[in-house]
PDB file of all heavy atoms in Angstrom:
ATOM      1  N   PHE A  65     -75.977 -33.384  30.308  1.00  0.00           N
ATOM      2  CA  PHE A  65     -76.140 -34.779  29.892  1.00  0.00           C
ATOM      3  C   PHE A  65     -75.286 -34.958  28.613  1.00  0.00           C
ATOM      4  O   PHE A  65     -75.646 -34.555  27.525  1.00  0.00           O
ATOM      5  CB  PHE A  65     -77.632 -35.063  29.565  1.00  0.00           C
ATOM      6  CG  PHE A  65     -78.517 -34.923  30.761  1.00  0.00           C
ATOM      7  CD1 PHE A  65     -79.115 -33.678  31.059  1.00  0.00           C
ATOM      8  CD2 PHE A  65     -78.721 -35.971  31.604  1.00  0.00           C
ATOM      9  CE1 PHE A  65     -79.922 -33.543  32.182  1.00  0.00           C
ATOM     10  CE2 PHE A  65     -79.552 -35.840  32.741  1.00  0.00           C
ATOM     11  CZ  PHE A  65     -80.136 -34.620  33.041  1.00  0.00           C
ATOM     12  N   PRO A  66     -74.109 -35.527  28.804  1.00  0.00           N
ATOM     13  CA  PRO A  66     -73.235 -35.706  27.668  1.00  0.00           C
ATOM     14  C   PRO A  66     -73.725 -36.749  26.673  1.00  0.00           C
ATOM     15  O   PRO A  66     -74.577 -37.609  27.033  1.00  0.00           O
ATOM     16  CB  PRO A  66     -71.899 -36.170  28.291  1.00  0.00           C
ATOM     17  CG  PRO A  66     -72.268 -36.776  29.580  1.00  0.00           C
ATOM     18  CD  PRO A  66     -73.541 -36.074  30.029  1.00  0.00           C
ATOM     19  N   ARG A  71     -78.563 -48.578  22.601  1.00  0.00           N
ATOM     20  CA  ARG A  71     -78.811 -49.692  21.678  1.00  0.00           C
ATOM     21  C   ARG A  71     -77.829 -49.679  20.477  1.00  0.00           C
ATOM     22  O   ARG A  71     -78.239 -49.744  19.331  1.00  0.00           O
ATOM     23  CB  ARG A  71     -80.227 -49.651  21.199  1.00  0.00           C
ATOM     24  CG  ARG A  71     -81.225 -49.762  22.340  1.00  0.00           C
ATOM     25  CD  ARG A  71     -82.523 -50.288  21.886  1.00  0.00           C
ATOM     26  NE  ARG A  71     -83.413 -50.371  23.029  1.00  0.00           N
ATOM     27  CZ  ARG A  71     -84.684 -50.641  22.929  1.00  0.00           C
ATOM     28  NH1 ARG A  71     -85.214 -50.899  21.758  1.00  0.00           N
ATOM     29  NH2 ARG A  71     -85.436 -50.740  23.998  1.00  0.00           N
ATOM     30  N   ARG A  98     -74.233 -18.345  31.152  1.00  0.00           N
ATOM     31  CA  ARG A  98     -75.157 -18.877  30.151  1.00  0.00           C
ATOM     32  C   ARG A  98     -75.017 -18.164  28.803  1.00  0.00           C
ATOM     33  O   ARG A  98     -74.956 -18.777  27.771  1.00  0.00           O
ATOM     34  CB  ARG A  98     -76.610 -18.762  30.647  1.00  0.00           C
ATOM     35  CG  ARG A  98     -77.601 -19.460  29.676  1.00  0.00           C
ATOM     36  CD  ARG A  98     -79.031 -19.003  29.918  1.00  0.00           C
ATOM     37  NE  ARG A  98     -79.258 -17.592  29.598  1.00  0.00           N
ATOM     38  CZ  ARG A  98     -79.368 -17.067  28.364  1.00  0.00           C
ATOM     39  NH1 ARG A  98     -79.250 -17.879  27.280  1.00  0.00           N
ATOM     40  NH2 ARG A  98     -79.536 -15.800  28.157  1.00  0.00           N
ATOM     41  N   TYR A 124     -84.216 -37.081   9.231  1.00  0.00           N
ATOM     42  CA  TYR A 124     -84.168 -38.526   9.406  1.00  0.00           C
ATOM     43  C   TYR A 124     -83.139 -39.026  10.426  1.00  0.00           C
ATOM     44  O   TYR A 124     -83.377 -40.031  11.090  1.00  0.00           O
ATOM     45  CB  TYR A 124     -83.980 -39.258   8.055  1.00  0.00           C
ATOM     46  CG  TYR A 124     -82.558 -39.278   7.562  1.00  0.00           C
ATOM     47  CD1 TYR A 124     -81.714 -40.339   7.960  1.00  0.00           C
ATOM     48  CD2 TYR A 124     -82.021 -38.253   6.803  1.00  0.00           C
ATOM     49  CE1 TYR A 124     -80.389 -40.365   7.536  1.00  0.00           C
ATOM     50  CE2 TYR A 124     -80.746 -38.288   6.386  1.00  0.00           C
ATOM     51  CZ  TYR A 124     -79.926 -39.347   6.761  1.00  0.00           C
ATOM     52  OH  TYR A 124     -78.595 -39.362   6.364  1.00  0.00           O
ATOM     53  N   GLU A 127     -84.322 -38.950  15.877  1.00  0.00           N
ATOM     54  CA  GLU A 127     -85.498 -39.794  16.098  1.00  0.00           C
ATOM     55  C   GLU A 127     -86.039 -39.528  17.550  1.00  0.00           C
ATOM     56  O   GLU A 127     -85.302 -39.102  18.409  1.00  0.00           O
ATOM     57  CB  GLU A 127     -85.139 -41.275  15.967  1.00  0.00           C
ATOM     58  CG  GLU A 127     -84.695 -41.679  14.570  1.00  0.00           C
ATOM     59  CD  GLU A 127     -85.827 -41.762  13.592  1.00  0.00           C
ATOM     60  OE1 GLU A 127     -87.019 -41.774  14.017  1.00  0.00           O
ATOM     61  OE2 GLU A 127     -85.579 -41.810  12.380  1.00  0.00           O
ATOM     62  N   ILE A 130     -86.489 -35.990  20.680  1.00  0.00           N
ATOM     63  CA  ILE A 130     -85.648 -34.814  20.401  1.00  0.00           C
ATOM     64  C   ILE A 130     -86.267 -33.866  19.405  1.00  0.00           C
ATOM     65  O   ILE A 130     -86.119 -32.671  19.495  1.00  0.00           O
ATOM     66  CB  ILE A 130     -84.220 -35.253  19.980  1.00  0.00           C
ATOM     67  CG1 ILE A 130     -83.253 -34.028  20.067  1.00  0.00           C
ATOM     68  CG2 ILE A 130     -84.196 -35.857  18.602  1.00  0.00           C
ATOM     69  CD1 ILE A 130     -83.032 -33.472  21.442  1.00  0.00           C
ATOM     70  N   ALA A 145     -69.294 -35.576  11.830  1.00  0.00           N
ATOM     71  CA  ALA A 145     -68.756 -36.684  11.091  1.00  0.00           C
ATOM     72  C   ALA A 145     -69.673 -37.911  11.237  1.00  0.00           C
ATOM     73  O   ALA A 145     -69.897 -38.674  10.289  1.00  0.00           O
ATOM     74  CB  ALA A 145     -67.334 -37.019  11.621  1.00  0.00           C
ATOM     75  N   ALA A 146     -70.196 -38.131  12.419  1.00  0.00           N
ATOM     76  CA  ALA A 146     -71.107 -39.262  12.679  1.00  0.00           C
ATOM     77  C   ALA A 146     -72.416 -39.057  11.891  1.00  0.00           C
ATOM     78  O   ALA A 146     -72.958 -40.022  11.305  1.00  0.00           O
ATOM     79  CB  ALA A 146     -71.425 -39.423  14.144  1.00  0.00           C
TER      80      ALA A 146
END
Side-chain angles (χ1 to χ4, degrees):
F65 297 90
R71 301 203 180 173
R98 186 198 65 77
Y124 81 89
E127 296 286 346
I130 194 65

